[in-house]
Amino acid sequence: MKLSSAYLYEQLSKEYEILGHSGLSGKDGYLRPFLCCGNLQQKKRTVRGSVKIQDGRQGRVCVVPVGKEESFRENLPGTCNDGIFRVFCETADTAPEEGRHTNDPVSGSETRMNEEDAGNTYVRIVLRTEEGAAGVMNDLQQIFDLCDDWDRKVSALLTEHAGIRKILEVTSDFLGNPLMVMGLDFSLVAEAGKKLLPERAKLFSDDGVNIEYMNALLQDEGYQKLARTRETVMFPAYISGCRSLNRNLYLEGQPTHRLVLTECTNSITAGNICILEALTGRLEYLLAHETTASMTGDLEQIFERILSDRTADYLQTSRQLSALGWSSSHEYLCLILQITYLDQKQLSTKAICRYIQKQFRDSISFLYQEELVTFFNLSRLGINEDEAAAKLVYFIRDSYLKAGYSRVMQGHMNLRRQYVQARTALDVGSRRKPYLWIHHFSQVALAYIMEQATRRLPGNMLCHEGLLKLKKLDSQNNTEYVQTLEAYLEQHFSATQAAKALFIHRSTFLYRLERIKEILQSDLDDPEELFYLELSLRLLEQEEEKHMD
């Protein structure tokens, strides 16, 4: 396999003193080395009557022994970007003390650059033994051997269909740092070396994705820039405490997953880029050919059909759910989450679904019409509505979501109606109390009834006609007949309690009540009329709120 100049430099610096370097990169690639000795003249061959230059040295590493540097320059001039990575050898007695260093090529510093080498890639080393250039050749060959051995292991696992996790394990052992492949929606595909990760750097745990960590990444501008790049990018440590090297994986021209190497045991350098680049193609191949089928997928299809197809065969659907253990005798609860634009843009919806399903084993969560829908099988979970909602309170708040809950209902026939309830709770609740994160259908049911009642006629055309007369007199004479009637109804027809609520004497209240009965031409003892009056008061109140808005 090809190795980058940065990777070779890093491996050589473990054994040799480095005098200088230039042009090192983690994104180039070179084949095994050749030794500069004897005749370096380029060979010529004839192809269809024309003369072609045949030079097998381009794209390779060239080891230049002590004293051969001038010969190298004469036979192979150091033209800019000639595609050869030079390793110049020197001895301790011939190398000048000035300029010796072992700095990281990522820093960009360059020392002892000769004019002839400008624009080319090279490294100057001090020989450690009397082995000379042959020893350097052996060391370089060993570096290539180790990388080729890793490459062969990965290829063998690919042939054996061993899966992504096995390939990551081999690579993690080779690099000495944890590796993982995750979806851009924060779904974990596979990971290796998890034990090396400190707790603060774990994006995934046994309970699923770390939502706080995920939200911090989603709101980070630097992380957002990673979304569509084809470059291998280093992400700093300010969120998790560990740096990571990130490479997007593409399927059908679109980025869908990410390969992440986290810095824990060994330092991550530019040299690691060539290893990740070599791994990328294999992983993209595996991801493109992986197919998964599970009970979760079956449940999701059934529930999507329940919500989208009103003509679906109820009996068949019920049998399918029962076959998966979701019985018609079980109690169900529906939750709808209104996701923000940021969530949709960053494709974190699947991560949220997986998080909920991790918290509630007997649940199904999926994206439907730009909202997240979850059905809980409370009977299988062994919990009630309040316990389910309490477990998600902080998650919903910290993830900047809006939630609507249905009522608990038994059986399969009401599943779609529960979806309508949850959607209604989210819609009505968000409009009436936008400062709240969570809305329950029971809390908005009356408001929903009132809104439905006034869809075709306004509230003042539906309410009790006598109430309109009271309202008109109040406006003309500054009386408080409507307020008095409302207090009387709210205090369950107790004159004493109503008078206290209005801060007036009981006799004053009784006088007003008699006038109200005269105007309404009613004794206020008919239950249906009293209900109509209460409803009419609500209708007028709703009408006033609309005008205020």
Side-chain angles (χ1 to χ4, degrees):
M1 63 177 290
K2 290 184 177 181
L3 299 180
S4 69
S5 56
Y7 183 84
L8 293 169
Y9 161 84
E10 291 161 11
Q11 299 304 312
L12 287 172
S13 65
K14 295 177 182 178
E15 301 293 336
Y16 297 93
E17 181 181 358
I18 305 297
L19 292 175
H21 59 73
S22 174
L24 301 183
S25 171
K27 301 175 183 178
D28 53 19
Y30 297 93
L31 295 171
R32 285 178 178 268
F34 68 93
L35 185 63
C36 173
C37 59
N39 185 14
L40 291 176
Q41 294 296 327
Q42 295 173 326
K43 298 179 180 179
K44 298 181 179 180
R45 62 189 178 94
T46 303
V47 180
R48 294 182 181 179
S50 61
V51 177
K52 296 284 185 180
I53 301 297
Q54 183 180 13
D55 187 2
R57 295 183 294 267
Q58 286 190 343
R60 303 178 76 92
V61 181
C62 177
V63 178
V64 183
V66 179
K68 291 284 186 179
E69 186 169 341
E70 293 303 321
S71 175
F72 176 86
R73 297 189 194 286
E74 291 174 2
N75 289 280
L76 193 64
T79 57
C80 183
N81 296 322
D82 59 14
I84 297 177
F85 176 33
R86 301 149 168 76
V87 179
F88 293 114
C89 300
E90 298 190 29
T91 58
D93 56 340
T94 60
E97 291 295 328
E98 181 183 359
R100 293 190 182 189
H101 64 89
T102 58
N103 61 308
D104 191 330
V106 179
S107 66
S109 59
E110 301 175 358
T111 61
R112 302 192 69 234
M113 181 188 296
N114 295 321
E115 291 184 6
E116 297 93 332
D117 293 318
N120 286 309
T121 303
Y122 75 87
V123 61
R124 310 182 71 88
I125 65 173
V126 177
L127 299 180
R128 58 191 165 101
T129 65
E130 296 180 356
E131 292 178 338
V136 178
M137 280 287 295
N138 290 338
D139 288 335
L140 283 169
Q141 294 287 9
Q142 187 174 17
I143 293 170
F144 275 91
D145 286 343
L146 290 172
C147 291
D148 284 344
D149 181 58
W150 165 78
D151 189 60
R152 281 191 295 271
K153 287 179 180 178
V154 171
S155 297
L157 291 172
L158 192 67
T159 304
E160 297 166 5
H161 305 286
I164 294 177
R165 184 176 62 83
K166 286 288 186 182
I167 291 176
L168 294 187
E169 286 176 354
V170 168
T171 310
S172 177
D173 291 341
F174 179 63
L175 296 177
N177 278 317
L179 266 171
M180 73 172 171
V181 172
M182 68 174 188
L184 296 187
D185 58 3
F186 291 95
S187 57
L188 178 63
V189 176
E191 62 181 334
K194 180 180 177 181
K195 292 181 180 179
L196 301 175
L197 281 169
E199 286 299 320
R200 69 180 183 278
K202 289 182 179 179
L203 178 56
F204 297 96
S205 66
D206 294 336
D207 295 327
V209 65
N210 183 326
I211 295 296
E212 292 183 1
Y213 186 178
M214 183 189 80
N215 285 334
L217 289 174
L218 289 178
Q219 296 173 56
D220 183 80
E221 291 185 7
Y223 186 82
Q224 292 178 32
K225 292 178 181 178
L226 296 179
R228 290 190 171 273
T229 180
R230 286 188 178 271
E231 298 293 324
T232 303
V233 180
M234 181 73 76
F235 190 74
Y238 54 78
I239 290 182
S240 69
C242 295
R243 296 195 308 167
S244 63
L245 203 57
N246 297 260
R247 176 63 163 83
N248 286 339
L249 304 177
Y250 281 70
L251 296 180
E252 297 181 357
Q254 295 296 322
T256 59
H257 296 77
R258 184 166 293 149
L259 174 63
V260 182
L261 176 69
T262 305
E263 187 175 64
C264 291
T265 306
N266 297 328
S267 297
I268 290 181
T269 63
N272 295 128
I273 293 176
C274 67
I275 304 298
L276 294 194
E277 292 291 332
L279 186 60
T280 294
R282 278 78 174 272
L283 294 177
E284 288 177 339
Y285 173 84
L286 281 176
L287 289 170
H289 290 80
E290 275 193 347
T291 57
T292 57
S294 64
M295 173 182 164
T296 299
D298 294 336
L299 274 175
E300 183 174 329
Q301 290 180 6
I302 293 171
F303 275 95
E304 283 185 345
R305 188 165 62 250
I306 289 172
L307 301 187
S308 61
D309 186 2
R310 295 188 180 185
T311 64
D313 188 337
Y314 161 73
L315 292 177
Q316 181 183 0
T317 301
S318 183
R319 283 194 296 268
Q320 290 173 337
L321 287 174
S322 297
L324 294 173
W326 286 49
S327 170
S328 59
S329 63
H330 290 167
E331 289 188 332
Y332 300 96
L333 173 69
C334 181
L335 163 68
I336 291 181
L337 294 175
Q338 185 182 61
I339 54 181
T340 63
Y341 172 73
L342 178 64
D343 289 318
Q344 295 182 56
K345 183 180 178 182
Q346 296 294 340
L347 303 176
S348 64
T349 52
K350 289 186 179 179
I352 296 172
C353 290
R354 287 184 173 87
Y355 174 81
I356 294 175
Q357 289 177 185
K358 200 80 173 179
Q359 299 298 312
F360 300 92
R361 180 173 49 86
D362 294 297
S363 69
I364 180 67
S365 189
F366 54 95
L367 183 65
Y368 180 72
Q369 294 184 351
E370 298 185 354
E371 292 174 328
L372 289 181
V373 181
T374 301
F375 280 91
F376 302 92
N377 188 324
L378 297 181
S379 299
R380 287 176 61 113
L381 289 168
I383 59 177
N384 58 35
E385 175 187 8
D386 293 336
E387 290 171 325
K391 201 170 182 180
L392 291 174
V393 166
Y394 297 111
F395 161 72
I396 292 171
R397 182 197 66 185
D398 296 342
S399 299
Y400 305 101
L401 303 173
K402 292 275 190 175
Y405 282 99
S406 72
R407 288 175 177 167
V408 176
M409 294 185 183
Q410 183 178 356
H412 302 148
M413 184 176 291
N414 294 316
L415 291 173
R416 192 178 192 284
R417 294 169 182 165
Q418 286 183 283
Y419 165 75
V420 174
Q421 281 187 343
R423 205 167 188 279
T424 299
L426 182 59
D427 176 44
V428 178
S430 297
R431 283 189 284 103
R432 289 183 167 264
K433 296 182 179 180
Y435 50 87
L436 295 180
W437 297 97
I438 300 170
H439 307 277
H440 295 264
F441 180 74
S442 297
Q443 298 169 344
V444 304
L446 180 59
Y448 174 67
I449 292 171
M450 304 290 288
E451 289 184 0
Q452 292 300 304
T454 56
R455 287 181 65 184
R456 303 186 69 177
L457 292 174
N460 57 8
M461 295 185 69
L462 294 172
C463 70
H464 194 292
E465 192 172 1
L467 190 60
L468 294 177
K469 293 179 181 180
L470 294 178
K471 187 178 181 182
K472 185 177 181 181
L473 288 172
D474 285 345
S475 177
Q476 292 175 346
N477 305 322
N478 288 326
T479 53
E480 297 178 346
Y481 292 143
V482 174
Q483 185 181 8
T484 301
L485 177 61
E486 189 173 10
Y488 183 59
L489 296 174
E490 288 179 353
Q491 298 301 324
H492 307 291
F493 320 116
S494 170
T496 303
Q497 294 300 321
K500 287 182 179 179
L502 294 171
F503 301 100
I504 60 176
H505 197 275
R506 186 172 182 275
S507 60
T508 303
F509 177 82
L510 290 174
Y511 170 75
R512 288 185 187 176
L513 186 59
E514 287 302 316
R515 285 287 297 133
I516 290 171
K517 288 179 180 181
E518 289 176 11
I519 297 168
L520 296 178
Q521 296 180 358
S522 170
D523 292 331
L524 298 181
D525 56 3
D526 182 358
E528 287 192 7
E529 184 180 28
L530 292 172
F531 171 72
Y532 186 22
L533 284 169
E534 288 190 44
L535 184 60
S536 297
L537 287 168
R538 299 271 187 165
L539 289 170
L540 290 177
E541 182 182 339
Q542 178 177 279
E543 207 60 31
E544 290 175 1
E545 289 178 356
K546 285 184 179 178
H547 290 308
M548 290 177 64
D549 293 338

